[in-house]
């Protein structure tokens, strides 16, 4: 019953690949590429054996070191990074861009280079490093070294993300608060910070996750005490791939938890 | 009481835009600042509040120099266009943020009739509710001067009118200097004790709303306050009254202090132009013409008339009953009277022309 023009059209529809379908097809390949190895990792170790190996003292030590150091690094990055982010968000001019470039530098620097750079300041041969050793507080091959390496590499995340969050807060609200007789600090604490909080928390989460996964700079600054990424590497080199799995899975779980946190924050009502 | 907000020689330059110099003094009164968007009125407020720093000039409040002081130490409170309520707080928390005590919050909530919405989050409130909360929050600081930046601009007409009518007695009762910025002439006149008209960064006129409307100081003030009929003419005689030559027609006016041959602007509000049957066509101030356009504005009709032999167009405002009685159609012939007393010649000089606005009132009742 269909007319000629109708049949022509119905024949062309399946042929004409719509652009979104193509995009999804290409993107789908990428998503599979992300997911397949993760699933494969879980399948390669039986759950019982995984739990047994988790009790290995080396694994427990590495996990403790990683969580402790990443927590300290995140606190340090937040304490120094938030004021900087606020300043960057509320200042215009040549200097802002220059400072922002400095902040982004660790992001574009290969982490191993970051580690080398840090060694030239905090290493045993450098004045600061030497003084620290003399004071009984070595900055390499110590928890402090791990924190220094992680902070260097991970802190830009909190600065950049919090800057965007602060910029998202309407300045009119700050003006209103100050016009009501509240000073800068009261205004920041009661108006700006709460409104920027989802973004700040996202930045803190990213920083923590990045610190947990930090390998390159940490390797060079503090091979001991071993963090989880270093432990994975050591296990892989010395005992083979199988022995690297448990710690890898543990790190993966932490990353997934971080992702879940981020997603919860994004659905925040006032973002 | 000696509450005074004063502004001396204020100048602020933005890229390609100069504001000022402006001198203003606001006593215990409401000064409406009326002007089109971009005329600098918001910048003026922001400067008083300390959010913007001027290039030159001084702001003083009750004799205290505010220049260079941070916003929080000025005692001036700025009410923003959309209220600028803190969206993460409830209405109550917003007011309490500025208040001294919870008792004060309750009192203000009663005054502004927001008791019912106190526990709602600020970002769920309607536009009118938001402005009520914003006002309560501002008053909670017990301000020494209140600055309002188009607080009703984004509200629906009925809510706007209601809030405007409530605002007038509320603001008057505060007995502090209040600057109320708006681009709406109805708001400006309904709320202000005095009215300043601004354009392009300068103040054209400051006077009582009645006086500004009756005797605009510049053609801009005339047109912006609704005197759509602003025309240029030449002084033809000054014997018994000031007679203008307007497109070869003689127009008698109550103007004064002008010389023969001088070019002047004169204006007449559209509601003061009367249609007439019983005046002769050759009488002074009586014009015949064609209807060229009719606009129904809801409350009344605006009718454009092209007087014979003129390029200018006179616009008249007719109430619906009058409009219906006349039964006007486009190109109909119509005769209008520009009543002498209703005409204002811009730039009248010397100060002995008192009770001008009383005359206007008389004319208005005659016309109606």
């Amino acid at each position: 019953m269909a007319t000629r023009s109708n049949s022509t059209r119905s024949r062309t529809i399946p042929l004409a690949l719509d652009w979104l379908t193509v995009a999804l097809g290409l993107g789908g390949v990428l998503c599979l590429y992300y997911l397949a190895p993760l699933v494969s990792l879980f399948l390669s170790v039986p759950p019982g054996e995984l739990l047994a190996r988790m009790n290995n003292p080396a694994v427990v030590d590495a996990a403790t070191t990683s969580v402790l150091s990443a927590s300290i690094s995140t606190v340090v990055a937040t304490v120094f990074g938030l004021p900087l982010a606020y300043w960057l968000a509320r200042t215009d001019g040549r200097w802002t861009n220059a400072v922002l470039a400095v902040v982004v530098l660790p992001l574009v620097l290969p982490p191993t280079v970051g580690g080398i750079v840090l060694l030239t300041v905090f290493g045993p041969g450098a004045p600061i490093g030497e003084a620290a050793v003399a004071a009984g507080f070595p900055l390499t091959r110590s928890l402090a070294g791990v924190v220094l390496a992680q902070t260097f590499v991970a802190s830009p995340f909190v600065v950049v993300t919090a800057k965007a969050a602060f910029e998202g807060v309407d300045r009119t609200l700050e003006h209103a608060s100050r016009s009501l007789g509240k000073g800068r600090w009261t205004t920041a604490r009661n108006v700006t910070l709460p409104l920027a909080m989802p973004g700040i928390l996202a930045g803190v989460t990213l920083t923590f996750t990045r610190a947990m996964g930090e390998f390159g700079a940490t390797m060079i600054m503090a091979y001991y005490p071993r963090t989880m990424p270093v432990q994975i590497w050591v296990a892989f080199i010395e005992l083979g791939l199988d022995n690297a799995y448990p710690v890898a899975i543990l790190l993966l779980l932490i990353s997934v938890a971080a992702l879940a946190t981020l997603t919860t924050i994004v659905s925040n009502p006032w973002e | 009481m000696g509450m005074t907000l004063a502004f001396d020689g204020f100048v602020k330059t933005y890229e390609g835009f100069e504001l000022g110099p402006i001198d203003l003094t606001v006593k215990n009164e409401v000064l409406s600042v009326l002007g089109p968007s971009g005329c600098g009125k918001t910048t003026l407020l922001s400067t008083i509040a300390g959010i913007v720093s001027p290039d030159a000039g001084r702001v003083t409040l009750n004799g205290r120099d505010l220049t260079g002081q941070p916003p929080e130490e000025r005692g001036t409170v700025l009410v923003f266009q959309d209220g600028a309520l803190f969206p993460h707080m409830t209405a109550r928390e917003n007011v309490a943020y500025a208040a001294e005590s919870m008792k004060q919050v309750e009192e203000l909530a009663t005054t502004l009739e927001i008791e019912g919405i106190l526990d709602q989050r600020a970002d769920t409130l309607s536009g009118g509710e938001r402005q009520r909360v914003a006002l309560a929050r501002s008053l909670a600081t017990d301000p020494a001067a209140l600055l309002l930046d188009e607080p009703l601009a984004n509200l629906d007409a009925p809510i706007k009118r209601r809030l405007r009518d409530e605002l007038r007695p509320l603001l008057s009762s505060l007995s502090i200097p209040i600057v109320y910025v708006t681009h709406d002439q109805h708001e400006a006149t309904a709320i202000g004790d005095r009215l300043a008209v601004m354009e392009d960064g300068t103040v054209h006129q400051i006077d009582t709303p009645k006086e500004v409307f009756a005797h605009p100081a510049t053609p801009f003030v005339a047109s912006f306050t609704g005197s759509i009929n602003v025309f240029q003419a030449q002084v033809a005689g000054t014997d018994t009254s000031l007679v203008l030559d307007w497109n070869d027609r003689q127009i008698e006016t109550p103007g004064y202090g002008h010389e023969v041959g001088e070019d002047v602007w004169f204006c007449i509000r559209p509601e003061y132009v009367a249609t007439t049957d019983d005046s002769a066509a050759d009488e002074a101030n009586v014009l015949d013409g064609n209807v060229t356009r009719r606009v129904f504005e809801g409350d009344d009709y605006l009718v454009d008339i092209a007087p014979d032999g003129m390029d200018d167009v006179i616009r008249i405002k007719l109430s619906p009953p009058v409009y219906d009685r006349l039964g006007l159609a486009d190109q109909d012939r119509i005769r209008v009277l520009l009543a002498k007393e209703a005409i204002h010649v811009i730039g009248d000089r010397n100060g002995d022309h008192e009770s001008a606005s009383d005359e206007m009132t008389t004319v208005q009742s005659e016309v109606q």
Side-chain angles (χ1 to χ4, degrees):
Chain A
M1 294 288 271
T3 64
R4 185 165 176 78
S5 70
N6 266 349
S7 62
T8 315
R9 203 191 299 155
S10 65
R11 222 182 296 141
T12 51
I13 285 173
L15 287 176
L17 270 179
D18 135 49
W19 154 242
L20 275 179
T21 318
V22 176
L24 179 63
L26 291 173
V29 172
L30 199 57
C31 286
L32 271 182
Y33 177 62
Y34 296 150
L35 284 176
L38 298 186
V39 174
S40 152
L41 174 61
F42 275 99
L43 294 179
S44 55
V45 189
E49 197 189 326
L50 182 68
L51 282 175
R53 287 210 212 154
M54 291 281 183
N55 288 330
N56 179 327
V59 174
V60 174
D61 283 354
T64 314
T65 306
S66 269
V67 171
L68 185 62
S69 60
S71 303
I72 298 173
S73 302
T74 305
V75 169
V76 171
T78 306
V79 166
F80 289 95
L82 277 194
L84 180 59
Y86 185 79
W87 183 85
L88 283 169
R90 290 293 182 243
T91 317
D92 302 308
R94 275 180 301 145
W95 286 108
T96 325
N97 283 332
V99 173
L100 190 60
V102 173
V103 170
V104 176
L105 194 62
L107 286 182
V108 295
L109 207 62
T112 40
V113 179
I116 299 288
V117 167
L118 289 175
L119 268 190
T120 62
V121 179
F122 301 110
I128 295 180
E130 228 167 312
V133 170
F137 190 73
L139 297 178
T140 56
R141 294 176 76 85
S142 66
L143 190 68
V146 176
V147 168
L148 285 175
Q150 288 178 342
T151 306
F152 186 83
V153 175
S155 55
F157 284 93
V158 73
V159 179
V160 172
T161 316
K163 170 182 174 282
F166 284 133
E167 280 167 347
V169 177
D170 188 354
R171 293 201 75 170
T172 308
L173 297 175
E174 293 181 350
H175 290 150
S177 168
R178 295 191 62 196
S179 179
L180 290 166
K182 309 296 180 188
R184 276 181 190 278
W185 170 236
T186 313
T187 299
R189 208 184 49 205
N190 292 299
V191 178
T192 319
L193 271 179
L195 288 172
M197 199 46 86
I200 293 171
L201 287 181
V204 169
T205 313
L206 283 174
T207 298
F208 180 76
T209 318
R210 183 67 187 85
M212 285 295 292
E214 215 304 302
F215 175 65
T218 317
M219 258 286 280
I220 288 168
M221 276 291 279
Y223 190 68
Y224 287 104
R226 282 182 189 155
T227 60
M228 284 198 279
V230 176
Q231 178 60 36
I232 291 174
W233 190 73
V234 169
F236 173 58
I237 291 295
E238 292 177 359
L239 305 165
L241 184 59
D242 284 1
N243 290 282
Y245 285 154
V247 187
I249 287 177
L250 199 57
L251 262 185
L252 181 65
L253 290 177
I254 291 171
S255 305
V256 171
L259 194 65
T261 314
L262 275 180
T263 318
T264 321
I265 292 164
V266 168
S267 68
N268 191 291
W270 65 77
E271 198 180 59
Chain B
M1 303 215 302
M3 303 278 256
T4 308
L5 178 68
F7 219 62
D8 295 320
F10 163 66
V11 177
K12 174 81 189 174
T13 313
Y14 284 104
E15 311 101 38
F17 179 76
E18 188 165 322
L19 184 59
I22 293 174
D23 301 292
L24 278 179
T25 305
V26 191
K27 297 208 157 53
N28 294 341
E29 61 180 339
V30 183
L31 176 74
S32 289
V33 178
L34 176 66
S37 45
C39 74
K41 52 196 195 308
T42 295
T43 308
L44 184 77
L45 274 200
S46 304
T47 313
I48 301 176
I51 294 164
V52 169
S53 17
D55 297 339
R58 251 162 50 99
V59 188
T60 56
L61 180 58
N62 305 330
R64 190 165 66 94
D65 193 351
L66 298 187
T67 322
Q69 297 265 358
E72 61 268 26
E73 280 163 30
R74 296 192 167 213
T76 59
V77 175
L78 182 50
V79 182
F80 290 84
Q81 184 161 341
D82 292 308
L85 296 183
F86 307 128
H88 58 300
M89 299 183 189
T90 62
R92 188 192 305 276
E93 285 163 347
N94 264 279
V95 182
Y97 183 72
E100 299 260 302
S101 65
M102 283 324 266
K103 185 166 160 281
Q104 196 191 4
V105 176
E106 301 296 335
E107 283 169 7
L108 283 163
T110 311
T111 311
L112 284 148
E113 298 173 20
I114 51 170
E115 302 104 313
I117 53 164
L118 275 180
D119 292 316
Q120 283 186 37
R121 256 178 63 142
D123 53 3
T124 65
L125 300 176
S126 71
E129 290 167 343
R130 225 174 289 159
Q131 284 302 355
R132 285 175 187 275
V133 176
L135 272 166
R137 187 179 70 176
S138 301
L139 297 181
T141 63
D142 208 358
L146 191 61
L147 314 165
L148 300 103
D149 186 7
E150 306 246 17
L152 309 181
N154 291 345
L155 302 183
D156 295 337
I159 297 166
K160 184 182 206 164
R161 191 164 303 179
R162 190 174 152 211
L163 205 48
R164 183 190 78 192
D165 296 345
E166 286 178 39
L167 213 46
R168 167 78 210 166
L170 176 68
L171 295 183
S172 298
S173 71
L174 295 177
S175 285
I176 54 171
I178 296 170
V179 183
Y180 187 98
V181 158
T182 176
H183 66 267
D184 179 327
Q185 50 157 314
H186 301 295
E187 253 175 81
T189 50
I191 288 178
D193 296 312
R194 284 196 305 150
L195 176 59
V197 183
M198 276 184 78
E199 188 214 9
D200 275 347
T202 55
V203 176
H204 279 240
Q205 187 174 11
I206 307 181
D207 215 320
T208 61
K210 209 167 172 180
E211 189 55 28
V212 171
F213 273 61
H215 301 114
T218 67
F220 172 79
V221 175
S223 59
F224 200 75
T225 53
S227 255
I228 305 150
N229 302 308
V230 186
F231 308 113
Q232 203 163 17
Q234 200 169 40
V235 177
T238 56
D239 297 342
T240 49
S241 62
L242 185 77
V243 178
L244 301 181
D245 177 347
W246 178 45
N247 293 300
D248 299 326
R249 293 295 308 247
Q250 302 280 299
I251 303 290
E252 284 184 23
T253 74
Y256 55 95
H258 298 274
E259 286 162 19
V260 174
E262 189 183 331
D263 285 323
V264 292
W265 291 91
F266 74 96
C267 61
I268 180 165
R269 299 189 64 83
E271 59 270 32
Y272 289 116
V273 181
T275 61
T276 175
D277 301 320
D278 40 42
S279 313
D282 56 352
E283 265 179 56
N285 297 24
V286 175
L287 300 164
D288 284 322
N290 292 328
V291 172
T292 56
R293 198 163 73 128
R294 294 162 297 142
V295 178
F296 179 49
E297 283 204 313
D299 296 335
D300 38 44
Y301 287 87
L302 287 178
V303 178
D304 285 359
I305 294 157
D308 299 342
M310 294 192 188
D311 294 332
D312 290 316
V313 171
I314 298 177
R315 179 167 278 195
I316 69 175
K317 191 181 266 188
L318 299 173
S319 64
V322 175
Y323 180 86
D324 291 342
R325 179 162 50 77
L326 293 171
L328 291 175
D330 283 353
Q331 298 310 321
D332 274 3
R333 298 290 292 165
I334 189 168
R335 178 169 294 171
V336 293
L337 170 67
L338 309 185
K340 178 185 166 187
E341 296 75 16
I343 292 174
H344 168 62
V345 179
I346 291 168
D348 281 349
R349 284 183 288 268
N350 97 47
D352 61 3
H353 195 75
E354 358 92 58
S355 75
S357 36
D358 295 339
E359 277 178 31
M360 281 302 259
T361 321
T362 328
V363 171
Q364 188 171 21
S365 45
E366 276 168 17
V367 169
Q368 287 166 347

